[in-house]
Amino acid sequence: MELPKFILGDNTDYPDAIYVIHTEFPRFIINLENDEVEWLEDFDQHDQRELETEAENLIEQANKFYDKEVERYEE
């Protein structure tokens, strides 16, 4: 199965939380309510340095994805 790069998620136990799931490496879930990120990968020190530089870009992409999806729902 081929998955999209980003997927929206929600959970009624956390009514204010809005989740964006990034399905490509490095996989993560971000809660847009508080910008908390849960990484779904294990990283070594070398990966950690690379991740720090890439994380900001990926989180920005996740926010843009959410904004685009919300605009589509409103249309």
Side-chain angles (χ1 to χ4, degrees):
M1 168 182 4
E2 189 170 331
L3 295 173
K5 184 174 182 175
F6 292 104
I7 299 172
L8 284 178
D10 66 356
N11 186 303
T12 56
D13 291 334
Y14 303 93
D16 295 329
I18 300 169
Y19 300 101
V20 175
I21 300 99
H22 182 252
T23 63
E24 297 176 359
F25 184 84
R27 297 173 303 146
F28 65 86
I29 300 171
I30 182 171
N31 180 348
L32 297 179
E33 174 191 24
N34 57 16
D35 291 332
E36 185 175 337
V37 176
E38 179 71 30
W39 297 99
L40 304 175
E41 310 285 355
D42 292 324
F43 302 105
D44 62 22
Q45 272 194 346
H46 177 269
D47 291 336
Q48 189 70 28
R49 288 186 204 118
E50 184 177 331
L51 177 64
E52 288 172 2
T53 59
E54 185 64 18
E56 185 176 336
N57 182 41
L58 289 171
I59 291 168
E60 183 178 317
Q61 287 178 31
N63 278 291
K64 286 181 181 179
F65 164 77
Y66 173 75
D67 291 341
K68 181 181 73 174
E69 290 298 300
V70 169
E71 285 177 17
R72 287 179 176 173
Y73 283 120
E74 291 173 352
E75 290 178 357

